[in-house]
């Protein structure tokens, strides 16, 4: 496909980025909705962590567009940001089910997950090095269950 052909779908380069941004979040939401959810909150958090890092590692350019400031001047539309907010809300609900509800904790978790994903994408594309650490991250960051 040639660049002029792309403008049949969107009026500008930023509009094309917005279409890709929205599509990426729709794909992630689809994976979240399709996943079988364990009843145990810790297992659910492990699943969510692995799902995110795997999703990011599969397509590094999509990861950069969705989770890093890779395109200077690009700001997603309100509609596209709504999809991103749905993903964040779904993850916040998973954390809450595991007893984590502070806003600062959500920030720590998102930084940890994007860090694992970034390391996987940058330093072991196609491998498992940082993906293997997903469960370790959950076990180290999630407080022990009250007994």
């Amino acid at each position: 496909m040639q660049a002029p052909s792309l403008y049949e779908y969107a009026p500008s380069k930023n509009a094309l980025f917005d279409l890709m941004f929205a599509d990426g979040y729709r794909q992630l939401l689809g994976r979240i909705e399709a996943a079988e959810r364990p009843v145990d909150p810790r297992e659910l958090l492990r699943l969510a962590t692995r799902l995110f890092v795997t999703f990011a590692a599969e397509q590094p350019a999509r990861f950069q567009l969705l989770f890093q400031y890779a395109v200077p001047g690009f700001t997603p539309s309100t509609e596209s940001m709504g999809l991103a907010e749905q993903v964040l809300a779904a993850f916040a609900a998973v954390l809450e089910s595991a007893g984590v509800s502070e806003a600062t904790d959500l920030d720590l978790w998102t930084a940890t997950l994007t860090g694992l994903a970034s390391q996987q994408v940058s330093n072991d594309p196609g491998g498992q090095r940082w993906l293997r650490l997903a469960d370790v991250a959950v076990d180290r960051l999630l407080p022990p269950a009250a007994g």
Side-chain angles (χ1 to χ4, degrees):
M1 183 175 278
Q2 299 293 321
S5 301
L6 294 174
Y7 292 109
E8 291 181 30
Y9 300 98
S12 69
K13 183 171 69 171
N14 278 342
L16 286 170
F17 283 127
D18 193 60
L19 288 172
M20 292 186 296
F21 185 90
D23 183 61
Y25 272 105
R26 281 189 199 97
Q27 289 178 32
L28 182 52
L29 282 167
R31 288 224 191 148
I32 291 167
E33 292 165 2
E36 288 193 38
R37 295 172 180 250
V39 175
D40 178 66
R42 185 175 293 268
E43 287 304 315
L44 179 59
L45 186 52
R46 286 182 181 129
L47 171 72
T49 300
R50 288 189 307 268
L51 185 146
F52 176 80
V53 178
T54 300
F55 180 82
E58 287 174 352
Q59 292 185 30
R62 176 180 60 193
F63 168 70
Q64 290 174 334
L65 179 63
L66 299 182
F67 302 105
Q68 298 177 328
Y69 188 68
V71 183
F74 168 63
T75 301
S77 66
T78 302
E79 296 81 16
S80 294
M81 280 306 296
L83 296 168
E85 290 164 0
Q86 286 179 43
V87 168
L88 186 60
F91 187 65
V94 168
L95 283 172
E96 183 132 2
S97 76
V100 179
S101 59
E102 297 291 326
T104 54
D105 291 331
L106 178 59
D107 289 346
L108 176 62
W109 276 94
T110 59
T112 300
L113 268 59
T114 56
L116 286 172
S118 179
Q119 289 287 63
Q120 187 61 54
V121 165
S122 300
N123 297 304
D124 192 27
Q128 297 282 312
R129 184 173 176 187
W130 278 272
L131 180 57
R132 286 191 318 248
L133 296 176
D135 289 353
V136 173
V138 171
D139 291 340
R140 293 204 181 153
L141 289 174
L142 188 63

